[in-house]
Structure formats: C-alpha cells, structure tokens
Amino acid sequence: MTGEHLKQASTLILVSLSHAINHSFWVLIPTLTPLILEELNLTYVGAGTIFSVYLAAYAAGQIPLGFLAHKVSRPIIMGSGLIISSIGTALTAIAPDYYAILAFQALAGFGGAAHHPLALYLISDVFPQHRLGRALSLHGVSSSISFAITPMAAVAMLGLGWRFPLLAFSALAAVAGILIIAFIRVKPEKVRETPVFSRLLRSPDFGKLLATYGLFSLGQRGIVNFLPLMLAALYQVTVSEAGWWFSIFFFLGLAGQPLVGYLSDRFGWRKIIFSFLAASSAAVMGFALQIPFWFLVAATGLFMMPMVILHELSAIEFMPEEVRGIGFGILFTVGVALASVSTTLTGFLVDSLWFPATYAILATIFLLEIPIFLSLSRKHGRLRL
C-alpha cells in the first residue's frame, strides 16, 4: 500500500468511526420514544420535541465548527464532539424530568455537530473525483451499520430500563472520542480566500443546494424518527417488534449505499437521483395507504436512506475547495435545522391528522427536489461565484 493509499484508508477509517458513533445517537431516542412517551405521559408533539431540541443544537454548532476546520486540528474537533455528546447523553439517562432531558439533549446535539462539516472536507481532500462515490458510500455504510445495530442493541437492553442504553452508548462515544484525539494528527489549514466565501453566500446555485438539503432533511427525518411510533400505532406491533423493524429498515439502507456509490462513480449522480427521489416518495406514500408494512419498510430503507450520498456528491461537485469547510457547515446547518423542525412538525401533524395523512405530506416533499436538481444539473463544474 502506497503512502497516499494509506492516508486515504486511515482518513476514511477515522471519519467512518466518528460517523458511526455520532449517528448512534440519532436513533437511540426515537427507538426509546414509545417508553419515554408512556413514562412521562407526553403527547406526540412532546415526544418529537425531544429529538427536535437535539437537532436544533446539532444545527447551531455546524457553521462555527465548520469555520474551526480551517484553524484547529479536525480530529481534535471530531473527538471532542463525541465526548460532549457522550456527556449529554449520559446526563439524559439520569435526568429527573422532561425539561432536564431537553437540556441535556441540547448538549448532546451540540457535540454531534462536530462531524459532518469536517467529514466531507476530509474525504474530498484525500480522494480523487472518480473514487469519491465509493469513498462516500463506505462512509455512509458506517452510519447505516450504526443505525441498524443501535435499535437492536437498545431493544436488547430494555430489560434494564430505557435509561440504560443511553449510558451504554455514551460510554462507547467517550472511548471513541479519546482514541480519535490521541492517535490522529492532521495539520490545520487557513481560509485562503475570504472574498470567495462572501460570493458563495450570494450564489443562486448555492441557494439551490441549500434548498435540496433542506427539503430532503425535512421529509426524511420526520419519516425516520416516527417510524417506530407509526408501526406501533397503525400496524399494532409491539415496541420490541418496532425496534427490530427499525433495524431492518437501516440494514436495507446499508445495502443500498454501496450500490449508489458504484452507480454514481459509473454513471454520475445526476442520472440516478431522480429515480431514487421518485421511488422514495412512492414507498412512503404506501404507508399512507396502509400497504403491508414489511414491504414498505424495505423499500423506504433501500431507496430513501442512500440518497444522503447523492446529496453529498452534489455538494462536493459544486463547492469550491477553498470554502468547503464553512460551505459544508452551512449546508448541514440548514439540513439539520429543518430536520429539527420536521420532528416537531411531524408530531403536530400526527396529533392533528394522524399518521396516513402525515406520511402522504412527507412523501410529497421529495418530489419538490426534482425541479431544483434539474436546474442545477444543467450546470457543470463549480458554483458560479
């Protein structure tokens, strides 16, 4: 293995480890929500607000941490973020009431913000364009494995109560954060052209990228976070069964990501994203029609979850290299902020309209991305600055 290949492999392993641990916190609370809702006597809006607070803090930290990517060692930022998430999650596990849970989830979310602005920056920096799809698919696989295993592990620990899984995963995150800080060293970089960043914010094409990230997050996060609750309410499955199906959903997403990476490298992301958007919308609409859930869980996982890679490829292709740290931070801030809104909004819609109408609305959101990508895909190269 050459020095360049070793650098690529070590970078991908580091980023993927951070990704896996970071995203385990994304599914812990949704998996445990039915029990939290029952113990604290919450409405669906109240239950959704727990994760909305997490995502709001996650969003708030992305831009400043993306800026720090040019000034501070990126592994230190990643590792420190995991440790902060660990502390927030551990405190959530021992929180005495609902409002304490909200406060500690905000702390955990802020720590989680350290990953995404740095991840695309690091991967795109060491991998050539013709291998980016496969590199990002492997990066995505790490989160999909975490998404799939975390609900199963949480369900397996439910005999010790819903708080114990939070303690177990917080300990895992602390160890991972310490290892990343201790063993990885990357030299910091400076922002080279501040005027380019100013023009980036005024670029109409950048606004289109923000719109696609926002719409995808708005639809996807409401669908994912309420999946266990929806299965329990519409299809009368138990909490444990819903947790297992939640894992299967993410396993199918895991299976789809290498395929999407290969197809993107072979044919280009533009040629496949439209079919994935349409297929995802159709699968989610099936829940509104109450088609057998096993088929819909599989189809939604297979088509919707790998679309993260396609959105990342669009951002990397159009983002000027000199503003990637901050630019990715802005993209993920918008995405996570709307994901936060989505969770509370979905809870409000479920309380008001119930699950079928809510999932029909969420399915329609994906279709709104198609005309935006059509206008963006006619342009080649970097954003017009």
Side-chain angles (χ1 to χ4, degrees):
M1 180 179 288
T2 66
E4 184 64 24
H5 286 129
L6 184 61
K7 180 180 179 182
Q8 290 172 357
S10 61
T11 298
L12 190 56
I13 290 171
L14 162 70
V15 175
S16 297
L17 174 64
S18 173
H19 202 204
I21 302 297
N22 183 290
H23 275 48
S24 67
F25 295 125
W26 282 59
V27 291
L28 262 180
I29 291 296
T31 301
L32 302 171
T33 292
L35 296 177
I36 299 173
L37 184 147
E38 181 180 355
E39 179 177 318
L40 301 180
N41 195 27
L42 302 176
T43 64
Y44 285 110
V45 172
T49 299
I50 296 175
F51 199 68
S52 287
V53 167
Y54 175 90
L55 288 179
Y58 200 107
Q62 306 244 6
I63 293 177
L65 291 173
F67 178 77
L68 284 178
H70 299 281
K71 297 178 175 295
V72 181
S73 170
R74 293 184 288 278
I76 288 179
I77 299 175
M78 277 190 175
S80 298
L82 283 174
I83 293 171
I84 292 171
S85 286
S86 168
I87 294 170
T89 302
L91 291 172
T92 300
I94 61 174
D97 55 41
Y98 176 68
Y99 293 103
I101 288 175
L102 295 181
F104 296 142
Q105 279 296 286
L107 178 63
F110 182 79
H115 178 78
H116 282 100
L118 311 174
L120 295 191
Y121 192 106
L122 281 165
I123 293 173
S124 62
D125 192 45
V126 298
F127 280 91
Q129 183 69 36
H130 68 277
R131 294 182 61 202
L132 265 178
R134 278 164 286 188
L136 287 175
S137 72
L138 291 173
H139 173 251
V141 161
S142 68
S143 71
S144 293
I145 292 174
S146 179
F147 280 151
I149 292 176
T150 298
M152 291 192 298
V155 167
M157 290 184 266
L158 284 181
L160 298 171
W162 65 264
R163 298 174 187 268
F164 185 81
L166 296 173
L167 290 172
F169 276 89
S170 67
L172 182 63
V175 171
I178 292 169
L179 289 175
I180 289 171
I181 293 172
F183 294 106
I184 304 298
R185 290 288 182 269
V186 175
K187 292 182 179 179
E189 297 181 10
K190 301 290 185 181
V191 177
R192 291 177 300 211
E193 282 191 57
T194 302
V196 174
F197 172 62
S198 176
R199 295 198 302 273
L200 171 69
L201 296 180
R202 298 193 298 268
S203 167
D205 292 339
F206 186 61
K208 292 176 182 179
L209 282 178
L210 288 174
T212 60
Y213 263 73
L215 286 171
F216 179 68
S217 298
L218 189 65
Q220 184 214 39
R221 192 44 48 188
I223 293 163
V224 171
N225 286 351
F226 275 80
L227 186 62
L229 284 170
M230 184 272 297
L231 292 177
L234 281 188
Y235 295 96
Q236 286 77 55
V237 303
T238 66
V239 172
S240 293
E241 289 171 338
W244 285 108
W245 280 107
F246 205 29
S247 287
I248 291 171
F249 168 80
F250 287 117
F251 270 120
L252 269 296
L254 167 64
Q257 293 199 26
L259 175 63
V260 167
Y262 170 78
L263 292 174
S264 298
D265 285 344
R266 182 75 182 272
F267 303 108
W269 63 268
R270 296 178 184 85
K271 294 183 179 179
I272 61 175
I273 194 168
F274 304 113
S275 59
F276 272 77
L277 284 167
S280 298
S281 179
V284 175
M285 190 67 73
F287 287 116
L289 301 174
Q290 298 188 44
I291 294 172
F293 73 86
W294 60 268
F295 173 76
L296 299 176
V297 168
T300 306
L302 187 63
F303 289 107
M304 184 180 73
M305 297 309 290
M307 281 202 297
V308 173
I309 296 172
L310 299 174
H311 286 77
E312 290 175 346
L313 285 170
S314 71
I316 288 173
E317 178 170 329
F318 285 93
M319 188 74 64
E321 182 178 355
E322 57 267 29
V323 291
R324 281 183 177 174
I326 300 172
F328 291 150
I330 295 172
L331 283 177
F332 283 110
T333 294
V334 170
V336 177
L338 285 175
S340 173
V341 171
S342 174
T343 307
T344 299
L345 177 62
T346 302
F348 174 78
L349 290 174
V350 171
D351 279 338
S352 303
L353 304 174
W354 199 228
F355 281 104
T358 298
Y359 270 60
I361 293 170
L362 295 173
T364 305
I365 291 175
F366 292 137
L367 300 180
L368 300 178
E369 289 190 68
I370 292 177
I372 301 174
F373 272 120
L374 281 171
S375 66
L376 190 61
S377 67
R378 295 191 187 102
K379 301 172 175 57
H380 301 278
R382 299 296 181 208
L383 294 171
R384 295 174 299 169
L385 297 177

